[in-house]
Amino acid sequence: MKILLLDEDKATYQVLSEVAQLSGSEIIQITDMEEAKRYVKEHNDIDGIIAEQKVSGKPTWEIIQYMKNEKGVREIPFIILTSSLTDDEKDFYHGGYGHTGKAI
């Protein structure tokens, strides 16, 4: 299983990588939204995406919106890590995407 992590935090990457190794999975960390869009488009073997609410100062909804419009990637499961969401963000993410709170 290949999971894309959109997060700048090295500790999050380290923990997820250690857990993923237990099942033979792989975590690929990307810290730039444009690079993430290119990666998703060029690699059709991604099994899921885990993302911080903002990556390099850009909101995660940018890649979600991009994925909604790209054939072959709209079905990839997407998890957002966050400690808070605005009402507008909750409405957006509930439109076919789930969200969960991040422990502080």
Side-chain angles (χ1 to χ4, degrees):
M1 182 177 287
K2 187 182 281 188
I3 307 293
L4 183 62
L5 173 66
L6 303 178
D7 195 339
E8 298 163 326
D9 184 43
K10 292 192 184 297
T12 300
Y13 170 73
Q14 195 65 32
V15 169
L16 289 176
S17 289
E18 289 174 15
V19 172
Q21 286 178 359
L22 297 173
S23 67
S25 297
E26 178 183 10
I27 303 290
I28 292 93
Q29 183 178 26
I30 294 182
T31 60
D32 177 78
M33 195 64 68
E34 295 307 314
E35 181 183 350
K37 290 176 187 176
R38 279 191 301 277
Y39 192 91
V40 166
K41 187 172 186 173
E42 294 170 3
H43 295 85
N44 62 356
D45 59 346
I46 300 169
D47 297 296
I49 299 173
I50 300 173
E52 183 62 58
Q53 187 176 2
K54 289 190 178 202
V55 179
S56 297
K58 293 187 176 183
T60 301
W61 58 260
E62 280 189 16
I63 193 163
I64 294 172
Q65 194 64 43
Y66 169 80
M67 289 173 62
K68 282 182 175 181
N69 297 317
E70 286 294 317
K71 290 182 180 178
V73 299
R74 25 183 118 136
E75 293 83 17
I76 297 173
F78 203 104
I79 298 171
I80 298 169
L81 301 174
T82 183
S83 58
S84 65
L85 289 173
T86 66
D87 288 339
D88 288 341
E89 290 167 329
K90 287 178 186 176
D91 289 342
F92 178 83
Y93 295 132
H94 276 302
Y97 294 92
H99 63 84
T100 187
K102 181 179 179 181
I104 299 176

